[in-house]
Amino acid sequence: MNQQPKTFRRIVTGHDANGKAIIISDAPPVHTQLVGGPGGPTFFEVWHTLETPAFIQAQPDERDEPGLVLPPPKSGTRIRVIEFPPEGEEIQKLTSADAAAKFRIMGDEKASTSDGAAPHPLMHRTRTVDYGIVLEGEITLILDRGETIIQAGDIVIQNGTNHAWANRSGKICRMMFMLIDGQFASEII
């Protein structure tokens, strides 16, 4: 049994010299390694950060929160799954105030960056590193400068970039997100 591993894309976002959100790379992960020879697992090293100690307890408990909260806790992480329905005309008709209200429901009105010049009404930016994995379907990642279609199995590494998600596929898209609290470098604030 000599099967080649199925490839997937790793889309890494960043900022240009003007602080605008861009795609830095869009390719399979660079570092892969077969462990244990033929028949062993292949590791795809997707991304890592150098900080964030998590307090690990013998009996972890889920902390209560007042409702939906978009960002992770300070110095913490958050994992979630989101199902994006196909985008209808009502999304394209959203005003900046409407977009801010939607982010208020998500617990972070300040994340909304929508204005008349935005490439999508639900543009937003958080002070986080987010790992997004498409589990089912496809979705379009929209940045200040550019966009790309992300399909099942693809992974996005969002580095505090201004972005929006648009499901133009006509079917539900399910994504898993791992959010890590971050801090902006002075050149991209």
Side-chain angles (χ1 to χ4, degrees):
M1 182 188 249
N2 189 11
Q3 291 183 320
Q4 292 291 334
K6 183 179 178 188
T7 60
F8 58 90
R9 294 162 55 210
R10 180 191 74 164
I11 298 95
V12 180
T13 68
H15 300 86
D16 66 14
N18 297 315
K20 294 297 183 182
I22 60 171
I23 294 171
I24 299 293
S25 69
D26 183 345
V30 176
H31 304 289
T32 62
Q33 184 172 341
L34 176 64
V35 177
T42 300
F43 282 62
F44 298 87
E45 295 302 297
V46 179
W47 195 260
H48 70 275
T49 59
L50 300 176
E51 302 168 318
T52 297
F55 185 62
I56 301 169
Q57 303 174 51
Q59 296 292 316
D61 62 337
E62 189 170 356
R63 303 281 191 245
D64 286 336
E65 291 183 316
L68 180 61
V69 180
L70 187 62
K74 180 74 176 145
S75 299
T77 65
R78 181 177 309 284
I79 186 170
R80 68 169 41 108
V81 172
I82 301 176
E83 286 190 348
F84 294 93
E87 187 172 294
E89 287 183 25
E90 68 279 358
I91 296 295
Q92 290 302 320
K93 293 179 182 178
L94 291 175
T95 65
S96 295
D98 295 336
K102 290 198 177 291
F103 282 97
R104 186 178 321 111
I105 293 167
M106 292 183 257
D108 194 0
E109 181 178 1
K110 294 178 184 174
S112 180
T113 59
S114 181
D115 63 26
H120 190 276
L122 292 175
M123 294 295 285
H124 63 286
R125 183 179 187 205
T126 56
R127 197 188 69 217
T128 58
V129 173
D130 304 340
Y131 305 151
I133 303 168
V134 176
L135 302 173
E136 297 175 30
E138 69 177 44
I139 198 159
T140 302
L141 167 62
I142 302 169
L143 300 171
D144 294 325
R145 297 192 174 136
E147 61 181 55
T148 188
I149 297 172
I150 314 296
Q151 297 177 331
D154 292 340
I155 300 172
V156 176
I157 295 94
Q158 279 282 81
N159 286 295
T161 50
N162 193 37
H163 68 285
W165 300 103
N167 183 348
R168 301 170 180 159
S169 73
K171 298 178 182 175
I172 292 283
C173 175
R174 178 182 284 181
M175 287 186 75
M176 187 283 299
F177 291 93
M178 177 70 203
L179 293 76
I180 303 166
D181 186 39
Q183 180 176 331
F184 289 124
S186 60
E187 70 266 16
I188 61 169
I189 295 177

